């Protein structure tokens, strides 16, 4: 740790905020960075009560902090990758370019799963087996383990590097005994669970291939394309999950995914055409976007 005076840190913050605005980057990132690398809290930043502190412990020197911030400004590297962590629900998750950065809106998928269980009149799903397919950093698996403490969670990803990060996050959260990790494509490592799964939750790749290069550079250049690219129409992975999940879900089991706003009608139609799903519901996120689809196995 390095010691930085409150006055020096305040001057750095002021300059960084100005540069963020000039670079069309949210100035909120500056405060997020300072909160992550120091012992400051949000209230002290807001009230500027740290100004009188002669020595504030900070993870980086001011020179190192400036170098890191310049990489954010000039190279458009996501700040989460530069620092190596991101907040998500109650967790502080390790992230790297091997995993997608978990988005705040994805946090809602855990609440939807919990509410879906409460609304289900069939077998006690919260006591059963839940799977997170395409787990990445392990965010969804951790969230499921937290809201369903009596369930066993299985997390699958085709990337061994992603799984290593997910396992580190599980250990850090004290949930490693609740989650079993498997490397492989979608259901393939879980064939021994056919017909026994209470719920499937997934944030699959759903961006149409042709759109990826048009995304903001932080996403297009640095986040793993395997976690973004959903094929020509963005529905390749989703279509696979629609077709294969009925073999694994028990009757009344929950099928829940994240998607793009304009994909809702198509995914609903896929589920209806399959014939194995009931109570299909499009769920909007906090910003009003049709982001999730929930269905139950017949």
């Amino acid at each position: 740790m390095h010691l930085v005076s409150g006055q020096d840190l305040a001057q750095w913050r002021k300059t960084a905020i100005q540069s963020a605005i000039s670079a069309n980057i949210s100035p909120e990132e500056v405060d997020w960075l300072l909160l992550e690398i120091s012992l400051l809290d949000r209230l002290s930043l807001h009230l500027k009560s740290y100004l009188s502190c002669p020595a504030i412990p900070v993870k980086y020197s001011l020179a190192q902090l400036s170098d890191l911030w310049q990489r954010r400004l000039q190279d458009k590297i996501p700040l989460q990758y530069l620092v190596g962590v991101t907040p998500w629900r109650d967790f502080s998750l390790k992230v790297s370019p091997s995993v997608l950065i978990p988005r705040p809106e994805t946090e809602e998928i855990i609440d939807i799963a919990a509410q879906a269980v409460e609304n289900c009149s069939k077998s006690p799903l919260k006591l059963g087996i839940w799977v997170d397919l395409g787990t990445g950093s392990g965010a969804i698996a951790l969230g499921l383990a937290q809201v369903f403490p009596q369930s066993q969670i299985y997390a699958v990803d085709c990337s061994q590097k992603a799984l290593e990060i997910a396992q580190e996050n599980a250990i850090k959260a004290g949930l490693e005994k609740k989650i079993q990790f498997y490397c492989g494509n979608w259901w393939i490592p879980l064939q021994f669970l056919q017909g026994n799964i209470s719920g499937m939750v997934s944030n699959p790749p759903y961006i149409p291939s042709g759109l990826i290069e048009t995304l903001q550079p932080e996403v297009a250049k640095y986040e793993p394309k395997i976690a973004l690219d959903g094929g020509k129409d963005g529905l390749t992975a989703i279509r696979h999950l629609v077709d294969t999940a009925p073999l694994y879900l028990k009757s009344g089991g929950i099928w829940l995914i994240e998607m793009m706003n304009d994909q809702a009608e198509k995914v609903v139609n896929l589920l209806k055409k399959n014939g194995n799903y009931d109570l299909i519901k499009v769920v909007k996120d906090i910003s009003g976007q049709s982001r999730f689809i929930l269905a139950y196995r017949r």
Side-chain angles (χ1 to χ4, degrees), residues 6 130 190 196 247 258:
W130 284 74
L190 304 181
N196 292 304
L247 183 62
E258 181 173 328

Side-chain angles (χ1 to χ4, degrees), residues 43-65:
L43 183 61
S44 63
L45 274 179
H46 178 71
L47 298 177
K48 298 183 179 179
S49 57
Y50 65 93
L51 281 170
S52 59
C53 294
I56 299 171
V58 180
K59 186 176 179 179
Y60 304 106
S61 69
L62 283 182
Q64 291 170 328
L65 192 56

Side-chain angles (χ1 to χ4, degrees), residues 13 23 43 70 74 78 81 111 131 136 200 227 229 238 279 297:
R13 176 176 180 259
L43 183 61
Q70 284 304 309
Q74 295 175 9
Y81 287 157
D111 299 316
V131 300
M200 179 214 83
D229 193 340
I238 293 174
L279 305 175
R297 172 75 163 95

Side-chain angles (χ1 to χ4, degrees), residues 88-104:
W88 197 82
R89 288 182 72 88
D90 297 331
F91 308 109
S92 177
L93 301 177
K94 177 179 178 178
V95 292
S96 83
S98 296
V99 299
L100 197 71
I101 298 168
R103 271 39 175 195

Side-chain angles (χ1 to χ4, degrees), residues 94-151:
K94 177 179 178 178
V95 292
S96 83
S98 296
V99 299
L100 197 71
I101 298 168
R103 271 39 175 195
E105 54 268 26
T106 306
E107 295 181 13
E108 298 175 53
I109 206 169
I110 303 301
D111 299 316
I112 295 167
Q115 188 60 53
V117 166
E118 294 302 321
N119 294 341
C120 185
S121 60
K122 297 189 178 182
S123 58
L125 298 178
K126 67 174 66 177
L127 304 179
I129 296 170
W130 284 74
V131 300
D132 171 18
L133 299 182
T135 192
S137 66
I140 289 175
L142 294 179
L144 292 173
Q146 187 179 58
V147 297
F148 301 138
Q150 295 174 291
S151 292

Side-chain angles (χ1 to χ4, degrees), residues 9 25 32 39 41 58 89 95 98 114 210 219 225-226 233 236-237 245 262 271 286 292:
L9 200 60
I25 290 173
W32 180 86
L39 299 179
D41 56 40
V58 180
R89 288 182 72 88
V95 292
S98 296
V219 178
K225 283 187 171 54
I226 193 171
D233 63 356
T236 299
D262 61 359
L271 289 163
I286 196 170
F292 311 101

